[in-house]
């Protein structure tokens, strides 16, 4: 999702629902983004989440992900 950082710039954030250990899921997401995306297209933050918020029809509610985003220090 696109989120605003503390400086007011819009950046990409990636949410991962880990199947196992959180650190391994984040590392795998970083590796996959590094291998497949150009540097400017990579997300600035990768955070884990227990479950993606979805509508009744199964679409991801991106506005709820944006609302709960807090950039790490």
């Amino acid at each position: 999702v696109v989120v605003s950082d503390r400086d007011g710039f819009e950046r990409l954030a990636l949410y991962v629902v880990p199947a196992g250990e959180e650190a391994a899921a984040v590392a795998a997401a970083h590796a996959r983004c590094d291998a497949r995306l150009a540097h400017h297209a990579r997300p600035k933050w990768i955070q884990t989440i227990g479950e993606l918020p979805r509508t009744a029809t199964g679409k991801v509610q991106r506005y709820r992900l944006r609302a709960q985003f807090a950039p790490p220090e």
Side-chain angles (χ1 to χ4, degrees):
V1 294
V2 176
V3 295
S4 295
D5 64 6
R6 290 192 170 100
D7 297 329
F9 295 106
E10 291 185 336
R11 309 276 188 204
L12 291 176
L14 174 66
Y15 285 92
V16 178
V17 179
E21 184 183 338
E22 286 186 25
V26 170
H30 272 291
R32 188 161 178 98
C33 288
D34 289 345
R36 295 181 181 250
L37 297 174
H39 181 73
H40 68 277
R42 294 180 194 151
K44 181 163 176 127
W45 301 283
I46 298 179
Q47 297 182 348
T48 58
I49 189 169
E51 182 179 4
L52 292 173
R54 295 189 181 268
T55 65
T57 58
K59 293 181 180 180
V60 176
Q61 295 176 327
R62 290 187 298 260
Y63 72 94
R64 289 181 61 197
L65 291 173
R66 276 186 219 104
Q68 74 181 34
F69 177 76
E73 303 267 331

